Amino acid sequence: MVNVGVIGAGLMGSTHARLLTSAVAGAEVVAISDAVQDSAATVAEEVGAGTIHADALELIADPAVHAVVIASPVATHEPFALACIEAGKPVLCEKPLATSAAAAKRIVDAEVAVARRYLTVGFMRRYDPGYADLKTRLDAGAIGAPLLVHCAHRNPSVHEFFDSRMIITDTAVHEVDITRWLLGEEIVRATVLTPAPSGRARQGLRDPQLILFETEHGRIVDVEAFVSAGYAYDIRCEIVGEDGTLELLPPATVSERRDFTESLPLPRGFQQRFGAAYVNELQAWVASIQLGEEPSGPSAWDGYAAAAVCEAAVASLESGRPVDVDL
Ligand code: ISE
């Protein structure tokens, strides 16, 4: 059994704690920490975790904790990730890895200093069966060399603290990671265009955004990031290659026909759309710990590269011009 300590008892922390307890083999959640004691107590009771640490650094130092999930606010990721690396404990850190590329780079440097990988970033889409199939087919040469990737990332709505930059750093960051992974190359330039905002978007939110990424080998990725889409949680990805195209299918498994109409249900949110991905991500992480292996999932470098690309995109959002990525 891998004894896991979970830092953060909000939406993602409680989701990970629940999945580790109910859907993942070989793991037990033994400790929880959250700045809000009541939240920690509620999740601890639900998953049967015996210990609540008021201080996350105490959870990391707890000898009964073998591995750590960080799902606390992003500003806390850097100190907690560094403490895990120092303690030599495997750590799964939610995305984004840190608040800036410089902070993410310090995490990369800490692992380089100890010459071992401890950190996995929670870019769960790599574990989604649809994206995994895209990657397998692309790598097998099914459509020849990739030329373009068209993506859409639509949320029905977001919470009131969401600002225009977060549409890049919190939402489109998933496309940054998944397209770097699919194409196997770095993104070198970002350009953000903003049409007239949707009437559904909160006042002042530049939503939707059309984000263009250029890669080191000259491919172009376009991402429509739209967080006030209203109708569903809709994720699209089409890769155009020299010999054909590959496209994610809607995740529904059943279509319904009645009243002279055919309909497919669409997901309501990311937990539903990526439910399998979260379980696969946690299972792969736990299995690597059981085997004493370094993790093979998204690395600190991936978290750093994503942060650097997002920084360039945010600068483009603000200036209206293409901005080079500083890696
Ligand atoms: C959220 O944090 C996620 O990671 C979701 O996958 C994304 O769709 C959403 O926009 C983010 O706020």
Side-chain angles (χ1 to χ4, degrees):
M1 274 292 171
V2 176
N3 290 351
V4 180
V6 177
I7 301 174
L11 181 64
M12 285 319 300
S14 60
T15 300
H16 287 310
R18 237 172 258 133
L19 292 177
L20 282 165
T21 309
S22 63
V24 171
E28 196 176 326
V29 178
V30 296
I32 307 273
S33 174
D34 193 285
V36 182
Q37 291 287 303
D38 282 354
S39 308
T42 306
V43 176
E45 193 183 334
E46 188 187 334
V47 301
T51 312
I52 295 171
H53 287 287
D55 181 350
L57 294 174
E58 278 172 19
L59 177 145
I60 295 167
D62 184 340
V65 170
H66 303 151
V68 178
V69 171
I70 300 176
S72 45
V74 62
T76 64
H77 288 188
E78 182 192 359
F80 296 161
L82 291 175
C84 291
I85 294 167
E86 200 180 318
K89 295 191 181 177
V91 50
L92 175 67
C93 181
E94 258 308 321
K95 48 63 61 175
L97 175 56
T99 47
S100 67
K105 177 71 168 33
R106 288 192 284 273
I107 299 172
V108 172
D109 291 343
E111 279 193 336
V112 170
V114 296
R116 186 179 164 94
R117 276 196 59 187
Y118 287 104
L119 188 127
T120 303
V121 185
F123 285 128
M124 77 300 179
R125 287 191 184 187
R126 296 189 187 195
Y127 299 91
D128 172 67
Y131 276 113
D133 201 3
L134 281 186
K135 170 99 176 133
T136 304
R137 288 165 194 257
L138 184 66
D139 288 353
I143 58 163
L147 305 169
L148 296 162
V149 188
H150 304 299
C151 308
H153 186 156
R154 300 187 190 130
N155 289 188
S157 62
V158 279
H159 57 71
E160 59 192 27
F161 311 110
F162 225 81
D163 62 25
S164 300
R165 298 156 56 111
M166 286 176 76
I167 296 178
I168 296 167
T169 59
D170 206 57
T171 300
V173 67
H174 282 292
E175 274 72 21
V176 172
D177 181 68
I178 206 71
T179 57
R180 286 181 63 252
W181 180 69
L182 286 168
L183 297 173
E185 55 182 309
E186 295 297 354
I187 292 168
V188 296
R189 191 170 301 116
T191 309
V192 180
L193 304 172
T194 49
S198 161
R200 282 178 171 275
R202 217 190 42 255
Q203 185 66 27
L205 196 64
R206 288 153 83 180
D207 187 37
Q209 300 181 10
L210 186 61
I211 310 171
L212 299 179
F213 295 123
E214 293 166 66
T215 71
E216 57 185 324
H217 299 308
R219 334 261 186 223
I220 293 185
V221 175
D222 59 83
V223 183
E224 175 209 306
F226 185 16
V227 299
S228 320
Y231 71 93
Y233 185 83
D234 200 2
I235 301 298
R236 299 183 182 203
C237 181
E238 181 188 24
I239 308 171
V240 180
E242 286 178 348
D243 303 328
T245 70
L246 295 167
E247 186 173 4
L248 279 184
L249 286 177
T253 50
V254 171
S255 89
E256 189 174 297
R257 292 179 199 181
R258 63 188 177 117
D259 298 334
F260 308 96
T261 305
E262 178 172 4
S263 62
L264 285 177
L266 292 169
R268 291 183 172 270
F270 59 87
Q271 286 171 298
Q272 188 186 356
R273 170 64 183 81
F274 290 110
Y278 285 116
V279 173
N280 297 343
E281 169 190 63
L282 287 166
Q283 189 65 76
W285 181 64
V286 167
S288 71
I289 298 167
Q290 286 178 314
L291 294 169
E293 289 174 353
E294 292 190 34
S296 59
S299 65
W301 174 267
D302 293 317
Y304 161 64
V309 172
C310 287
E311 247 169 46
V314 167
S316 175
L317 173 73
E318 282 158 7
S319 71
R321 298 204 182 83
V323 176
D324 288 343
V325 176
D326 182 15
L327 263 194

